[in-house]
């Protein structure tokens, strides 16, 4: 019984034949019934997807990373953070391995310029339309290769989620781990990030190449969509975490899928599941 029925039944009990009319005409009851009318109306539909994305992109990848960070650290604290860092390094090294496989298949040396040419991504069209594509420039007043990044869609997503600390943990080893997977002889460092600074600084101490060498087109066959990269992130993190925590790790990964469905939409979950059996260690040249 809702509040309106209760009030009407109460009025009927007082004066059976005219209870409803009394309820409607009595100032106190009338006001109560009027409020009940408002309270009993179904709540307006609220979209459960706060992040409006057309499809997979850089920010969706950051979202998946951030939700893993939250669920791991909330459940396991420092152990969860260390596992998050291990998953990040594993994911990044797999990317580097694939790049190296393609480069070696083409008879290329595994150097800094080749690394750039065989990178697996370019800015997504959606992120470019939003004006959020990665923006960087070389740092010229030092003796080795260095880059200043002034805009980053991953950092934007972490910040909008209130999880820049997840971005700090993720970005700390990410690029160095991709390089390590590509060729561990190339030293690479991320010295600061947009997650807690005005710009990001990445560098390769001991390496210097002409700026024009880094503007050549990327190897098109090696490019992978952000659908692929997001699936790679989800499934590699899940594999590492379930290896460490067993069934509890699987539960965490399933929770991340639930987060994706609630905040991004069911279609994103459906697509991620299609990659369950993908071997992300090989390039499939």
């Amino acid at each position: 019984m809702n509040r309106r029925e209760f009030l009407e039944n109460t009025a009927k009990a007082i004066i059976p034949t005219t209870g409803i009319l009394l309820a409607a005409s009595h100032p106190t009851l009338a006001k109560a019934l009027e409020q009940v009318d408002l309270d009993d109306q179904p709540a307006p539909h609220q979209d459960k997807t706060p992040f409006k994305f057309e499809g997979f992109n850089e920010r969706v990848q950051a979202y998946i990373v951030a939700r893993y960070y939250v669920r791991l650290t909330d459940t396991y604290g420092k152990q969860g953070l260390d596992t998050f860092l291990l998953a990040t390094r594993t994911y990044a090294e797999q990317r580097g391995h694939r790049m190296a496989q393609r480069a070696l298949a083409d008879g290329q040396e595994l150097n800094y310029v080749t690394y750039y040419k065989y990178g697996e991504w370019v800015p997504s069209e959606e992120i470019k339309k939003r004006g959020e594509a990665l923006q960087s420039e070389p740092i010229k007043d030092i003796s080795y290769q260095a880059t200043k990044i002034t805009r980053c869609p991953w950092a934007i997503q972490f910040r909008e989620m209130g999880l820049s600390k997840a971005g700090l943990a993720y970005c700390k080893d990410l690029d160095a781990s991709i390089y390590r997977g590509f060729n561990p002889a190339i030293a690479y460092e991320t010295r600061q990030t947009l997650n807690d600074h005005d710009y990001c600084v990445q560098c390769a101490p001991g390496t210097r190449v002409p700026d024009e060498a880094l503007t050549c087109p990327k190897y098109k066959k090696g490019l992978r969509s952000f659908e692929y990269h997001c699936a790679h992130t989800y499934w590699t993190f899940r594999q590492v975490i379930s290896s460490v925590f067993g069934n509890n790790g699987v539960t965490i990964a399933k929770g991340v899928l639930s987060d994706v469905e609630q905040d991004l939409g069911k279609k994103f979950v459906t697509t991620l599941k299609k990659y369950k059996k993908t071997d992300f260690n090989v390039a499939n040249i």
Side-chain angles (χ1 to χ4, degrees):
M1 178 184 297
N2 62 31
R3 287 170 58 196
R4 167 176 275 281
E5 291 172 339
F6 173 78
L7 290 169
E8 288 182 345
N9 289 342
T10 300
K12 288 177 182 178
I14 298 171
I15 306 178
T17 58
T18 60
I20 294 176
L21 292 175
L22 174 64
S25 60
H26 190 282
T28 302
L29 285 176
K31 184 176 181 181
L33 285 171
E34 180 181 358
Q35 184 60 44
V36 169
D37 278 340
L38 295 175
D39 291 345
D40 287 349
Q41 293 300 315
H45 175 69
Q46 294 183 352
D47 198 328
K48 294 183 179 180
T49 55
F51 299 108
K52 297 293 187 181
F53 298 125
E54 298 170 6
F56 288 91
N57 57 51
E58 296 92 319
R59 289 184 57 172
V60 173
Q61 185 181 31
Y63 173 89
I64 294 170
V65 168
R67 292 311 304 163
Y68 265 119
Y69 175 90
V70 169
R71 287 185 173 272
L72 278 166
T73 56
D74 281 356
T75 305
Y76 290 105
K78 177 63 163 56
Q79 185 185 15
L81 173 60
D82 290 342
T83 304
F84 172 87
L85 295 174
L86 176 61
T88 297
R89 292 193 296 270
T90 302
Y91 155 80
E93 288 175 11
Q94 288 176 328
R95 272 178 58 181
H97 289 324
R98 293 194 302 264
M99 292 162 59
Q101 290 166 27
R102 296 186 187 101
L104 290 172
D106 289 343
Q108 301 293 314
E109 292 185 15
L110 300 183
N111 55 32
Y112 189 91
V113 175
T114 304
Y115 174 94
Y116 181 85
K117 288 174 61 178
Y118 282 76
E120 288 191 326
W121 71 274
V122 293
S124 66
E125 291 301 316
E126 182 175 3
I127 290 299
K128 286 194 291 185
K129 285 192 296 184
R130 294 168 70 110
E132 297 173 343
L134 191 78
Q135 185 171 288
S136 64
E137 59 188 57
I139 300 175
K140 297 180 179 295
D141 56 351
I142 54 178
S143 61
Y144 50 86
Q145 199 67 35
T147 303
K148 176 181 179 179
I149 298 171
T150 54
R151 184 175 64 208
C152 170
W154 289 270
I156 292 171
Q157 182 64 29
F158 289 131
R159 183 173 63 249
E160 289 195 3
M161 294 175 73
L163 288 169
S164 290
K165 59 185 179 180
L168 277 170
Y170 180 69
C171 297
K172 180 176 70 172
D173 291 332
L174 177 71
D175 288 278
S177 296
I178 302 173
Y179 272 93
R180 186 166 55 250
F182 180 76
N183 181 356
I186 302 176
Y188 200 80
E189 301 174 7
T190 296
R191 294 186 172 173
Q192 67 182 49
T193 79
L194 275 161
N195 297 293
D196 62 345
H197 288 79
D198 292 335
Y199 55 89
C200 175
V201 174
Q202 297 181 347
C203 57
T207 301
R208 190 71 193 181
V209 296
D211 292 338
E212 56 268 21
L214 305 179
T215 59
C216 58
K218 288 191 175 182
Y219 176 66
K220 289 184 178 181
K221 289 184 180 179
L223 295 177
R224 292 294 179 266
S225 68
F226 272 96
E227 175 184 307
Y228 178 94
H229 288 303
C230 290
H232 178 199
T233 302
Y234 174 77
W235 288 107
T236 291
F237 272 59
R238 175 170 172 150
Q239 183 181 51
V240 172
I241 292 164
S242 61
S243 179
V244 173
F245 296 116
N247 288 335
N248 289 339
V250 174
T251 298
I252 286 174
K254 287 181 177 179
V256 171
L257 271 189
S258 176
D259 296 337
V260 170
E261 180 169 348
Q262 178 174 318
D263 290 345
L264 304 182
K266 189 172 183 178
K267 68 175 184 178
F268 289 88
V269 173
T270 301
T271 300
L272 289 174
K273 287 182 176 180
K274 294 193 305 184
Y275 288 82
K276 183 176 182 178
K277 296 183 179 180
T278 302
D279 185 353
F280 294 104
N281 290 293
V282 295
N284 293 320
I285 301 167

